Amino acid sequence: MITAEDLTKRYRSTLAVDGLSFTVESGRVTGFLGPNGAGKSTTMRMMLGLDRPTGGVARIDGVPYAELRHPLRKVGALLDAKAVHGGRTARDHLLQLAQSNGLPASRVGEVLEKVGLTEVARRRVGGFSLGMAQRLGIAGALLGDPEILIFDEPVNGLDPEGILWIRTLMRGLAAEGRTVFVSSHLMSEMAQTADHLIVIGRGRLIADTTVSEFISRSAQRYVRVRSPQLRSLAALLNGAATGLSGDHLRVPGRTTEEIGEAAAAAGIPLHELTMVEPSLESAYMELTQDSVEYTAVAS
Amino acid sequence: MRSEWTKFRSVRSTMWSMATVVVVMVGFSILNSKISLDMIDKEPLGDPAALSMAGAQFATLVVAALGVLVISGEYRTGMIRTSLLAVPRRGRMLAAKVIVFTLAVLALMLVTTLVSFFAGQLVLGEHGVALTEGDSLRIVLGSALYITATGLFGLAVGTVIRHTAGGIVAITVLLLILPQLATVLPGEAGAQVMKYITSTAGMRIMSPASDALLPPWTGFGVYLLWVAAAMALALTLLRRRDA
């Protein structure tokens, strides 16, 4: 379990993380979501004792990370896959990590096997592709067989096969009862991996909820209707519809049956009648709209 | 510590610097002894032990650069964050680095300086000295000690600067330029200050005694204070800064 209490980080004039409090529970994948620059990486670095919080505290099972005796046995983290010395071989890199936490050297072979890097174990890391570096980073995170795993944007820059592999791995780790905390700025990715969501924007907590609750709470379903007689249809629906100026109407709060039957009774032909389920993506966009730090200016 | 040793030995730069140091030390010893021997009619030989340590100045710079690299290499690659995730107590991490570096470099330098000494004396033949003669032992051991201490100086400076090129420039300024600047200080006070500056003080341990400068062990003690001060600054900053 990871807890953040009133976590705050200020860099000179900018407040990167602003009083964040939340709990990451075990046995599920918790997605940590926010636009670029929202403070996700900073929060994770503070959890891992790399950055010093300006205020507040983050704890791993009640203890600050820096006070863990053998942290790799408790927490496995992948922040930046390229944060390795390129001149070292994959094996030496992992061996050195294992030794620092009193882990047997045999673990190195085991995790290399698990991530599928056994064949390149004696190659220098500098020549690895991003996908291979990512696997090496994950091997490092799994080295101490930790209960808690923290991944920062693990699928960034990966090919579809790599993405699928990581997604399956994370689901598997959570199914084993571990705590998995993974950040992303991609809602669609989280929709397929996470059980629970913590959404932040501009360093503040926007939502801390399950994925399904997040959708139903933040965006409404609606019925999309096209008809050659849009105006009469809109009048028939008594102002429940929006989007009259376009080529279709959006009708929230009605079912397709209700609208279809009403239109038939009034003799209005319909060209389309669709129930639109809001995607996690649109729910997310709606929520974070105000908190995007860098927005492209429409020309 | 074992982990730091693995890190130390498993990158190419370490092995290259170490090999360079050995070649330079032994090579210069032979070369310098030969040249001095050829010119023995024109000018006196000087201290035979010191002659065989002719490569020490150069070796010092290589080892200082290695000291910088041991930590700046981690900052350049971002490896430092991975290291601190494994060992979040930063003082412990630095201590492990210092111990491994000291043991490895000191062991290698002891062997190298001894080999250099004997190689040089072999060339000098009848003009050479025995290890037990005069200041020889002190000069030979002193060279190994001075070079090792300088490597630690580099390690401390590298931790403060966190950048390879910047770190090497800084340690070069401290070892070469600062002592030069100090020689132009005016008056008796200036001459006194000059004695205590980094390498001027430190190199006493591997040089023949001189009345104008500090005694050998005093000089080395002063040098260790410089190194300790740099290391204390390094530790403070390492603890305080975000990785």
Side-chain angles (χ1 to χ4, degrees):
Chain A
M1 192 177 74
I2 313 169
T3 50
E5 290 164 33
D6 203 24
L7 216 47
T8 303
K9 180 72 180 179
R10 179 185 286 282
Y11 295 109
R12 294 199 176 85
S13 61
T14 48
L15 202 53
V17 176
D18 185 4
L20 270 187
S21 296
F22 58 83
T23 301
V24 183
E25 304 281 355
S26 58
R28 64 188 188 192
V29 177
T30 302
F32 191 31
L33 205 61
N36 285 326
K40 301 186 295 292
S41 296
T42 306
T43 303
M44 285 184 156
R45 282 202 304 270
M46 287 193 286
M47 285 176 168
L48 295 165
L50 291 177
D51 285 9
R52 181 190 295 264
T54 314
V57 62
R59 289 195 177 90
I60 308 288
D61 283 348
V63 184
Y65 186 88
E67 284 170 28
L68 296 173
R69 175 95 180 86
H70 290 300
L72 298 187
R73 297 187 190 179
K74 189 87 168 175
V75 185
L78 171 62
L79 293 186
D80 173 6
K82 284 290 182 184
V84 291
H85 195 300
R88 220 166 258 136
T89 65
R91 194 175 180 286
D92 279 337
H93 172 73
L94 294 173
L95 178 63
Q96 164 273 123
L97 285 179
Q99 288 169 339
S100 68
N101 275 247
L103 296 163
S106 57
R107 278 298 291 162
V108 172
E110 287 168 32
V111 291
L112 279 171
E113 179 86 49
K114 177 149 187 150
V115 301
L117 288 180
T118 309
E119 278 168 30
V120 292
R122 293 187 186 279
R123 287 215 344 232
R124 295 193 193 280
V125 178
F128 279 19
S129 67
L130 180 60
M132 287 158 81
Q134 209 83 4
R135 282 169 189 257
L136 178 65
I138 287 176
L142 297 177
L143 200 58
D145 195 20
E147 302 149 40
I148 297 171
L149 287 130
I150 297 180
F151 300 118
D152 192 9
E153 303 267 3
V155 301
N156 251 13
L158 288 191
D159 56 16
E161 191 198 353
I163 293 175
L164 185 66
W165 179 75
I166 288 196
R167 203 182 282 157
T168 314
L169 179 85
M170 289 193 294
R171 300 264 10 134
L173 290 166
E176 289 167 19
R178 300 179 211 258
T179 309
V180 181
F181 189 49
V182 53
S183 79
S184 179
H185 63 278
L186 296 175
M187 189 70 214
S188 48
E189 179 53 36
M190 288 296 92
Q192 303 185 60
T193 324
D195 308 295
H196 197 87
L197 284 180
I198 289 168
V199 186
I200 64 169
R202 293 205 178 190
R204 289 177 193 228
L205 191 68
I206 295 181
D208 180 352
T209 172
T210 63
V211 174
S212 50
E213 222 178 85
F214 180 68
I215 305 178
S216 59
R217 202 181 69 189
S218 35
Q220 277 187 303
R221 329 164 6 137
Y222 64 91
V223 178
R224 177 188 158 97
V225 203
R226 282 196 303 128
S227 163
Q229 298 171 31
L230 270 190
R231 286 183 179 283
S232 342
L233 187 63
L236 185 72
L237 293 168
N238 271 333
T242 59
L244 196 54
S245 51
D247 70 336
H248 69 270
L249 291 177
R250 291 161 161 246
V251 193
R254 299 279 175 92
T255 63
T256 47
E257 289 85 351
E258 285 169 8
I259 297 170
E261 279 161 25
I268 300 174
L270 295 183
H271 291 174
E272 184 188 341
L273 185 61
T274 324
M275 175 60 89
V276 179
E277 298 278 356
S279 70
L280 205 47
E281 197 74 43
S282 58
Y284 168 61
M285 293 299 280
E286 210 161 287
L287 259 179
T288 57
Q289 227 159 32
D290 305 329
S291 65
V292 178
E293 189 160 359
Y294 312 101
T295 329
V297 180
S299 51
Chain B
M1 283 235 312
R2 252 192 333 136
S3 155
E4 285 296 339
W5 167 242
T6 304
K7 279 203 261 179
F8 186 68
R9 68 163 173 76
S10 61
V11 291
R12 281 166 295 185
S13 54
T14 306
M15 290 306 151
W16 280 115
S17 332
M18 295 292 225
T20 309
V21 167
V22 175
V23 171
V24 162
M25 282 292 289
V26 179
F28 267 66
S29 167
I30 295 171
L31 210 66
N32 218 45
S33 303
K34 184 79 177 70
I35 292 170
S36 304
L37 195 62
D38 290 347
M39 306 213 313
I40 201 159
D41 299 334
K42 292 174 202 136
E43 53 183 273
L45 196 57
D47 188 298
L51 271 183
S52 64
M53 294 298 120
Q57 285 234 35
F58 191 77
T60 303
L61 285 182
V62 177
V63 172
L66 178 62
V68 172
L69 266 179
V70 163
I71 185 89
S72 71
E74 294 216 11
Y75 278 104
R76 176 175 56 81
T77 56
M79 180 68 201
I80 188 74
R81 289 192 294 279
T82 309
S83 295
L84 287 176
L85 284 182
V87 187
R89 293 175 205 188
R90 300 182 181 189
R92 274 176 71 115
M93 189 209 62
L94 187 62
K97 263 194 198 311
V98 166
I99 293 170
V100 166
F101 186 87
T102 308
L103 292 179
V105 174
L106 188 60
L108 181 82
M109 288 325 298
L110 282 174
V111 175
T112 309
T113 51
L114 280 171
V115 171
S116 299
F117 175 78
F118 288 120
Q121 304 318 310
L122 208 62
V123 173
L124 290 172
E126 58 176 302
H127 298 287
V129 287
L131 191 56
T132 46
E133 227 172 302
D135 285 338
S136 300
L137 188 60
R138 196 255 302 154
I139 287 173
V140 170
L141 294 184
S143 300
L145 287 175
Y146 175 69
I147 292 172
T148 307
T150 306
L152 291 175
F153 206 178
L155 177 53
V157 169
T159 309
V160 173
I161 310 266
R162 299 191 287 184
H163 191 275
T164 304
I168 292 178
V169 168
I171 191 71
T172 311
V173 167
L174 283 167
L175 290 176
L176 297 182
I177 316 242
L178 197 61
Q180 286 295 318
L181 286 177
T183 57
V184 301
L185 288 174
E188 178 56 22
Q192 283 300 320
V193 170
M194 185 266 287
K195 289 185 195 176
Y196 292 89
I197 300 297
T198 59
S199 58
T200 309
M203 275 163 41
R204 300 314 309 143
I205 192 78
M206 53 179 210
S207 316
S210 156
D211 288 339
L213 299 166
L214 296 174
W217 289 100
T218 314
F220 189 63
V222 168
Y223 187 59
L224 287 184
L225 289 180
W226 279 93
V227 176
M231 202 55 89
L233 178 65
L235 181 61
T236 312
L237 289 177
L238 181 67
R239 283 205 173 124
R240 188 181 306 161
R241 291 196 285 217
D242 289 342

